Amino acid sequence: MEKTQYWLVKSEPFKYSWTKFNEDKRTFWDGVRNYQARNNLRDMREGDLVLFYHSNEGKNVVGIAKVVKESYQDPTTDDKNWVVVDLVPVESLKNPVSLEQIKAEESLKDISLVRQGRLSVMPLKAEEFDKILEMGS
């Protein structure tokens, strides 16, 4: 069995919020137009866990999602370069974890959220994922 991988995805709350995601119960993660982010989507496997981050407003990790369908052609474009994955919400964090808290945490200083602010889909190490969950519990 493949080991679970961990990811973080960003969404601007006014475009697609955690609340809306929970109402929808499932979504495909579209609109990614960055090659590095796209490659990360392609690397996602069914069962992987994903932190949901509100960007621009809020700047908080607000919940955990799970990959339920691996990458396929983005239905919002005819361009074969772009892919989506299907995600379902798993649970909300008791306390959202802010970008400031993440930046202040020594063990998280190397994550892409801090290093590559513009990247919308990024991998996390298991210990980074666990640390953010711990901060949010």
Side-chain angles (χ1 to χ4, degrees), residues 74-133:
D74 184 335
T76 65
T77 177
D78 294 329
D79 187 334
K80 298 281 180 249
N81 282 311
W82 306 112
V83 299
V84 297
V85 296
D86 286 6
L87 299 177
V88 296
V90 177
E91 66 178 299
S92 300
L93 296 189
K94 215 173 276 159
N95 304 295
V97 180
S98 71
L99 182 59
E100 286 67 39
Q101 289 170 280
I102 289 169
K103 283 181 171 172
E105 173 53 52
E106 180 62 23
S107 66
L108 298 175
K109 70 179 189 324
D110 289 327
I111 69 171
S112 299
L113 187 63
V114 174
R115 296 223 171 251
Q116 292 175 277
R118 302 210 35 84
L119 192 62
S120 63
V121 179
M122 61 197 73
L124 291 172
K125 296 187 181 103
E127 53 274 18
E128 295 165 344
F129 182 89
D130 290 343
K131 181 66 188 178
I132 292 170
L133 288 192

Side-chain angles (χ1 to χ4, degrees), residues 13-29:
F14 72 91
K15 283 193 183 149
Y16 197 73
S17 69
W18 176 248
T19 306
K20 176 82 176 101
F21 181 32
N22 278 277
E23 287 165 12
D24 291 348
K25 309 258 191 288
R26 180 178 179 134
T27 192
F28 54 81
W29 203 256

Side-chain angles (χ1 to χ4, degrees), residues 29-44:
W29 203 256
D30 68 325
V32 170
R33 297 295 180 266
N34 165 292
Y35 285 100
Q36 193 180 354
R38 187 248 355 240
N39 293 342
N40 289 334
L41 284 177
R42 283 188 176 159
D43 289 341
M44 287 182 175

